[in-house]
Amino acid sequence: MDRIDAALVDALQHDSSRPVAVLADAVALSPSACHRRIRALEEAGVISGYAARIDPRRIGLAVEVFVEITLTSQSREAMDRFERAVGDFDDILECHLMSGGADYLLRVAAADLDQYDHIHRDCLARLPGVSSMRSSFSLRRIKRFAGYPVPRAVRP
Amino acid sequence: MDRIDAALVDALQHDSSRPVAVLADAVALSPSACHRRIRALEEAGVISGYAARIDPRRIGLAVEVFVEITLTSQSREAMDRFERAVGDFDDILECHLMSGGADYLLRVAAADLDQYDHIHRDCLARLPGVSSMRSSFSLRRIKRFAGYPVPRAVRP
DNA sequence: GCTTATAGCGGGAAATTATTGCGTGGATCG
DNA sequence: CGATCCACGCAATAATTTCCCGCTATAAGC
């Protein structure tokens, strides 16, 4: 993981659709060397896959919500059950175990408020061991996720 | 945007590295037709690009933080200035204007708590018009973002 | 009811891109 | 100083994307 790998990771995070030859040019390497490095990054798990970035609004998802959740019990069993249940619902985009105020932070997408109401009742309310939920709505996305900042060099 | 488009979007969100021929097979279409649909989705802005998914821990980012921010003023000018400033910092991964308690929700990544301290002082503290900040740390990622749920059919 | 325009599909050729093998140069270590 | 290892560039090959053409089905118009 040297400077070149960092540049590759950074470039691929933003756009993975460019041919290797173009990337190779950008990092001043031959296409084959470049390709081998990318492969190595994949096998090392640095790059875990490739995905299309899609615009949620264009598929009818206009509402994005962050939900703070507190459990009735913080026992190992209660948390395990909750975390397993989270995995079953596609509407829960993301979930973090948090420090501070609430136990968990969820991120949810919905077509509109009506549908969010359905999700709230049919999906979130079914999660086991929930004591309280607090929904905060994203009114506008100021900055969208476009890759992590890549440290200059992890190992020169 | 029919059932097949939905299937394509769903598939490409999870893995965009498979050849079109495989995708075509999965949606029961010829490679050429499949390719045309993907192109159309790109041009319609449904697919806005392709990106490598990377594991933040493997590039040395072990800490992920959500920061709730309240401004001293909710005037149009104050918000505009704040939002512009947010764009200047790579360490701010994401930013939402929120309803409810705080004004903004930020997502920040850092190598460790020391570096988060630096970011907090050198970057977050420089944001204009901030009245208060509350950091919540992600102790563990329960579910990682892996694409939006694609509605069955937006237009059959 | 028949025709015509339109949109989407499948097949295949051509161009682009990814992939692998091979030989070479430079750095490291003994 | 020599052996070894690693990563590189070059070039051939394999895979994939991209484009063009003719066909079919659906729907509107006459």
Side-chain angles (χ1 to χ4, degrees):
Chain A
M1 194 74 187
D2 58 5
R3 185 168 304 266
I4 294 179
D5 283 336
L8 286 175
V9 167
D10 190 51
L12 288 171
Q13 273 193 114
H14 293 282
D15 183 3
S16 65
S17 69
R18 287 179 300 177
V20 176
V22 176
L23 239 69
D25 214 50
V27 299
L29 223 57
S30 75
S32 63
C34 187
H35 176 260
R36 270 190 292 264
R37 275 173 179 268
I38 294 171
R39 270 283 266 260
L41 289 167
E42 289 166 4
E43 278 164 15
V46 176
I47 296 173
S48 61
Y50 298 89
R53 228 196 302 265
I54 77 163
D55 182 347
R57 310 190 62 153
R58 309 261 174 143
I59 58 168
L61 297 174
V63 172
E64 201 149 315
V65 192
F66 292 88
V67 187
E68 290 172 292
I69 288 190
T70 304
L71 298 191
T72 53
S73 154
Q74 279 75 34
S75 71
R76 174 68 185 268
E77 291 76 25
M79 294 174 66
D80 280 352
R81 277 199 307 141
F82 177 83
E83 293 175 15
R84 250 194 312 278
V86 161
D88 293 338
F89 296 105
D90 285 343
D91 293 310
I92 300 176
L93 306 180
E94 212 170 333
C95 174
H96 291 265
L97 173 63
M98 300 296 289
S99 78
D103 291 328
Y104 291 96
L105 180 63
L106 269 56
R107 182 181 193 157
V108 176
D112 49 39
L113 290 181
D114 269 8
Q115 200 211 332
Y116 182 65
D117 180 40
H118 285 145
I119 292 172
H120 198 278
R121 284 182 321 191
D122 297 345
C123 158
L124 302 184
R126 286 201 212 293
L127 293 169
V130 172
S131 161
S132 75
M133 300 193 325
R134 197 171 79 91
S135 298
S136 301
F137 292 80
S138 167
L139 301 177
R140 186 158 45 93
R141 186 201 305 277
I142 307 303
K143 184 175 191 174
R144 82 173 298 176
F145 178 73
Y148 293 95
V150 183
R152 299 292 162 236
V154 178
R155 268 189 221 173
Chain B
M1 195 72 189
D2 58 6
R3 185 167 305 263
I4 294 179
D5 282 337
L8 285 176
V9 167
D10 191 51
L12 287 171
Q13 273 193 115
H14 290 93
D15 183 3
S16 65
S17 69
R18 286 179 300 177
V20 176
V22 177
L23 239 69
D25 214 49
V27 300
L29 224 58
S30 75
S32 64
C34 187
H35 176 258
R36 267 191 300 265
R37 277 171 178 267
I38 294 172
R39 270 283 264 259
L41 289 167
E42 289 165 4
E43 279 164 16
V46 176
I47 295 174
S48 60
Y50 298 88
R53 227 195 302 265
I54 77 163
D55 181 347
R57 310 191 63 154
R58 309 263 173 141
I59 58 169
L61 297 173
V63 171
E64 201 150 314
V65 192
F66 292 88
V67 187
E68 290 172 291
I69 289 189
T70 305
L71 299 190
T72 53
S73 154
Q74 279 75 34
S75 72
R76 173 68 185 267
E77 291 77 24
M79 293 174 65
D80 280 352
R81 278 198 307 140
F82 177 83
E83 294 174 14
R84 251 195 312 277
V86 161
D88 294 337
F89 295 105
D90 284 343
D91 293 310
I92 300 176
L93 306 180
E94 212 170 333
C95 175
H96 291 265
L97 173 62
M98 300 296 290
S99 78
D103 291 329
Y104 290 96
L105 180 63
L106 270 56
R107 182 182 194 158
V108 176
D112 49 38
L113 290 181
D114 270 8
Q115 201 212 332
Y116 182 64
D117 181 40
H118 285 143
I119 293 171
H120 197 278
R121 284 183 321 190
D122 298 344
C123 158
L124 301 184
R126 287 201 210 292
L127 293 170
V130 171
S131 160
S132 75
M133 300 194 324
R134 197 171 79 90
S135 298
S136 301
F137 291 82
S138 167
L139 301 177
R140 186 158 45 93
R141 188 201 304 277
I142 307 303
K143 185 175 191 174
R144 81 173 298 176
F145 178 73
Y148 293 95
V150 183
R152 299 292 163 237
V154 178
R155 267 189 220 174

